Short mmCIF file of all heavy atoms in Angstrom, two decimals:
data_model
loop_
_atom_site.label_atom_id
_atom_site.label_comp_id
_atom_site.label_asym_id
_atom_site.label_seq_id
_atom_site.Cartn_x
_atom_site.Cartn_y
_atom_site.Cartn_z
N PRO K 271 -1.35 -9.28 8.10
CA PRO K 271 -0.11 -9.92 7.75
C PRO K 271 0.19 -9.97 6.25
O PRO K 271 1.39 -10.00 5.89
CB PRO K 271 -0.29 -11.36 8.28
CG PRO K 271 -1.81 -11.54 8.38
CD PRO K 271 -2.30 -10.21 8.77
N HIS K 272 -0.80 -9.85 5.46
CA HIS K 272 -0.54 -9.79 3.96
C HIS K 272 0.30 -8.60 3.54
O HIS K 272 0.75 -8.54 2.45
CB HIS K 272 -1.82 -9.83 3.24
CG HIS K 272 -2.63 -11.15 3.27
ND1 HIS K 272 -3.34 -11.58 4.38
CD2 HIS K 272 -2.70 -12.15 2.33
CE1 HIS K 272 -3.88 -12.76 4.10
NE2 HIS K 272 -3.48 -13.12 2.88
N MET K 273 0.40 -7.55 4.45
CA MET K 273 1.22 -6.43 4.17
C MET K 273 2.65 -6.88 3.81
O MET K 273 3.42 -6.16 3.12
CB MET K 273 1.28 -5.45 5.29
CG MET K 273 1.91 -5.98 6.57
SD MET K 273 1.72 -4.91 8.00
CE MET K 273 2.87 -3.57 7.71
N PHE K 274 3.11 -7.97 4.28
CA PHE K 274 4.48 -8.46 4.08
C PHE K 274 4.61 -9.28 2.78
O PHE K 274 5.63 -9.81 2.48
CB PHE K 274 4.91 -9.35 5.21
CG PHE K 274 5.01 -8.56 6.57
CD1 PHE K 274 4.25 -8.97 7.63
CD2 PHE K 274 5.65 -7.34 6.60
CE1 PHE K 274 4.31 -8.30 8.83
CE2 PHE K 274 5.74 -6.64 7.80
CZ PHE K 274 4.97 -7.08 8.89
N MET K 275 3.47 -9.33 2.01
CA MET K 275 3.61 -10.10 0.65
C MET K 275 3.90 -9.18 -0.47
O MET K 275 3.95 -9.63 -1.60
CB MET K 275 2.24 -10.70 0.41
CG MET K 275 1.98 -12.04 1.08
SD MET K 275 0.56 -12.90 0.34
CE MET K 275 1.04 -13.33 -1.28
N THR K 276 4.08 -7.87 -0.21
CA THR K 276 4.28 -6.93 -1.25
C THR K 276 5.49 -7.08 -2.18
O THR K 276 5.66 -6.44 -3.16
CB THR K 276 4.10 -5.45 -0.80
OG1 THR K 276 5.16 -5.28 0.13
CG2 THR K 276 2.79 -5.25 -0.16
N LEU K 277 6.42 -7.89 -1.63
CA LEU K 277 7.64 -8.16 -2.49
C LEU K 277 7.32 -9.19 -3.61
O LEU K 277 7.96 -9.23 -4.60
CB LEU K 277 8.75 -8.82 -1.63
CG LEU K 277 9.36 -7.85 -0.57
CD1 LEU K 277 10.33 -8.66 0.37
CD2 LEU K 277 10.05 -6.68 -1.15
N THR K 278 6.32 -9.97 -3.40
CA THR K 278 5.99 -11.06 -4.31
C THR K 278 5.59 -10.67 -5.70
O THR K 278 5.84 -11.34 -6.68
CB THR K 278 4.94 -12.07 -3.77
OG1 THR K 278 3.67 -11.33 -3.55
CG2 THR K 278 5.39 -12.67 -2.49
N PRO K 279 4.87 -9.55 -5.94
CA PRO K 279 4.41 -9.21 -7.36
C PRO K 279 5.58 -9.12 -8.34
O PRO K 279 5.45 -9.59 -9.43
CB PRO K 279 3.72 -7.94 -7.10
CG PRO K 279 3.21 -7.88 -5.72
CD PRO K 279 4.27 -8.62 -4.94
N THR K 280 6.72 -8.53 -7.86
CA THR K 280 7.90 -8.46 -8.72
C THR K 280 8.26 -9.87 -9.24
O THR K 280 8.54 -10.02 -10.44
CB THR K 280 9.00 -7.80 -7.99
OG1 THR K 280 8.76 -6.45 -7.68
CG2 THR K 280 10.30 -7.81 -8.82
N TYR K 281 8.26 -10.77 -8.39
CA TYR K 281 8.67 -12.09 -8.72
C TYR K 281 7.64 -12.93 -9.52
O TYR K 281 8.00 -13.78 -10.34
CB TYR K 281 9.10 -12.90 -7.46
CG TYR K 281 10.38 -12.21 -6.85
CD1 TYR K 281 10.23 -11.13 -5.98
CD2 TYR K 281 11.66 -12.57 -7.28
CE1 TYR K 281 11.40 -10.52 -5.45
CE2 TYR K 281 12.75 -11.88 -6.85
CZ TYR K 281 12.65 -10.90 -5.89
OH TYR K 281 13.70 -10.21 -5.39
N MET K 282 6.34 -12.54 -9.30
CA MET K 282 5.31 -13.09 -10.18
C MET K 282 5.60 -12.64 -11.62
O MET K 282 5.39 -13.41 -12.55
CB MET K 282 4.01 -12.65 -9.67
CG MET K 282 2.72 -13.24 -10.39
SD MET K 282 2.57 -15.00 -10.10
CE MET K 282 3.16 -15.69 -11.69
N GLY K 283 5.93 -11.34 -11.74
CA GLY K 283 6.26 -10.82 -13.00
C GLY K 283 7.54 -11.49 -13.68
O GLY K 283 7.53 -11.76 -14.91
N LEU K 284 8.54 -11.69 -12.86
CA LEU K 284 9.74 -12.38 -13.39
C LEU K 284 9.45 -13.83 -13.84
O LEU K 284 10.00 -14.30 -14.81
CB LEU K 284 10.79 -12.37 -12.32
CG LEU K 284 11.49 -11.02 -11.92
CD1 LEU K 284 12.37 -11.16 -10.74
CD2 LEU K 284 12.25 -10.53 -13.24
N ALA K 285 8.56 -14.51 -13.05
CA ALA K 285 8.24 -15.85 -13.44
C ALA K 285 7.58 -15.84 -14.85
O ALA K 285 7.83 -16.65 -15.75
CB ALA K 285 7.26 -16.39 -12.45
N GLN K 286 6.64 -14.84 -15.09
CA GLN K 286 6.00 -14.69 -16.35
C GLN K 286 6.99 -14.33 -17.42
O GLN K 286 6.92 -14.88 -18.52
CB GLN K 286 4.94 -13.63 -16.27
CG GLN K 286 4.12 -13.46 -17.57
CD GLN K 286 3.17 -14.55 -17.89
OE1 GLN K 286 2.43 -15.02 -17.06
NE2 GLN K 286 3.23 -15.04 -19.15
N ALA K 287 7.94 -13.52 -17.10
CA ALA K 287 8.98 -13.07 -18.08
C ALA K 287 9.82 -14.24 -18.53
O ALA K 287 10.15 -14.33 -19.75
CB ALA K 287 9.82 -11.99 -17.50
N ALA K 288 10.17 -15.12 -17.65
CA ALA K 288 11.01 -16.28 -17.96
C ALA K 288 10.25 -17.24 -19.01
O ALA K 288 10.85 -17.69 -19.93
CB ALA K 288 11.44 -17.03 -16.77
N TYR K 289 9.04 -17.39 -18.72
CA TYR K 289 8.14 -18.19 -19.60
C TYR K 289 7.99 -17.49 -20.94
O TYR K 289 8.16 -18.07 -22.05
CB TYR K 289 6.82 -18.40 -18.95
CG TYR K 289 5.80 -19.09 -19.87
CD1 TYR K 289 5.84 -20.52 -19.96
CD2 TYR K 289 4.86 -18.38 -20.53
CE1 TYR K 289 4.90 -21.09 -20.86
CE2 TYR K 289 3.91 -18.99 -21.35
CZ TYR K 289 3.91 -20.36 -21.52
OH TYR K 289 3.06 -20.98 -22.26
#
Side-chain angles (χ1 to χ4, degrees):
H272 289 76
M273 66 189 283
F274 299 123
M275 279 191 70
T276 59
L277 296 170
T278 59
T280 294
Y281 295 87
M282 186 68 255
L284 289 170
Q286 182 72 49
Y289 173 82

